[in-house]
């Protein structure tokens, strides 16, 4: 696994969680849009016994559990990445990596936070990845 692949795990999990949250919001909207009960006197023996919103409540509970598990994984991955970043001697590199991969900020926010242009941040990031990959190769050959 390259350094970039190792670090990008947090971004991928963050995106996954955001998509689950969007899905959960959709379930909640659907549960709220269930029509009221009909007051006519017809009796239908094939009608379901549970309330129409019950299936959405069940889906909401399952989705919330799934989100919580993903958040737990994200926290563990961010802790692992943060410990990895702490071992880097260059404070500028630490700041860039932490901002991007622990805080999951977009590149534009990383650049603004560091008072650099976006192209400078891309250049520094490439420099970091090249150095980390060289170090990994050197460590593996020993």
């Amino acid at each position: 696994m390259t350094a970039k692949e190792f670090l990008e795990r947090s971004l991928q999990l963050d995106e996954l969680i955001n998509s689950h949250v969007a899905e959960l919001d959709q379930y909640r909207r659907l549960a709220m849009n269930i029509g009221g009960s009909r007051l006519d006197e017809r009796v239908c023996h094939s009608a379901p016994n549970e309330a129409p919103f019950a299936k959405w409540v069940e889906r909401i509970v399952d989705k919330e559990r799934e989100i919580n598990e993903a958040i737990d994984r994200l926290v563990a991955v961010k802790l692992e990445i943060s410990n990895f970043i702490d071992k880097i001697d260059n404070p500028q590199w630490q700041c860039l990596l932490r901002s991007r991969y622990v805080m999951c900020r977009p590149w534009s926010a990383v650049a603004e936070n560091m008072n650099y242009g976006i192209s400078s941040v891309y250049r520094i990031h490439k420099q970091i990845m090249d150095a980390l990959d060289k170090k990994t190769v050197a460590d593996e050959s020993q």
Side-chain angles (χ1 to χ4, degrees):
M1 176 182 306
T2 66
K4 188 173 183 178
E5 291 169 340
F6 173 78
L7 294 167
E8 284 185 339
R9 294 177 306 149
S10 66
L11 299 175
Q12 293 163 352
L13 272 171
D14 193 58
E15 280 183 37
L16 177 67
I17 291 167
N18 289 336
S19 70
H20 284 309
V21 169
E23 189 177 352
L24 177 62
D25 289 342
Q26 182 181 17
Y27 290 166
R28 286 183 175 144
R29 279 192 304 277
L30 288 168
M32 297 302 231
N33 289 333
I34 301 295
S37 63
R38 289 179 273 160
L39 299 175
D40 56 14
E41 292 190 25
R42 285 185 284 162
V43 176
C44 181
H45 296 290
S46 64
N49 290 335
E50 70 181 25
F53 61 87
K55 71 177 181 180
W56 294 113
V57 171
E58 193 174 310
R59 288 181 184 171
I60 288 169
V61 169
D62 290 343
K63 187 54 66 177
E64 286 175 341
R65 183 177 20 257
E66 197 174 339
I67 290 169
N68 287 334
E69 290 169 1
I71 289 171
D72 290 343
R73 286 193 314 272
L74 179 60
V75 168
V77 166
K78 283 185 176 188
L79 183 59
E80 186 180 359
I81 290 170
S82 186
N83 289 337
F84 175 80
I85 292 170
D86 286 341
K87 295 175 186 171
I88 296 172
D89 291 333
N90 187 322
Q92 178 191 40
W93 290 11
Q94 285 182 345
C95 181
L96 188 148
L97 293 175
R98 192 171 314 292
S99 188
R100 176 67 178 162
Y101 297 110
V102 177
M103 306 295 288
C104 296
R105 292 183 176 149
W107 287 115
S108 57
V110 173
E112 185 178 327
N113 184 52
M114 296 182 71
N115 294 318
Y116 288 131
I118 193 89
S119 59
S120 295
V121 169
Y122 289 150
R123 182 182 43 76
I124 295 167
H125 182 264
K126 181 171 179 5
Q127 184 181 18
I128 295 168
M129 292 302 113
D130 290 345
L132 291 175
D133 287 341
K134 283 181 188 175
K135 183 181 181 326
T136 302
V137 169
D139 289 347
E140 288 176 358
S141 66
Q142 292 178 355

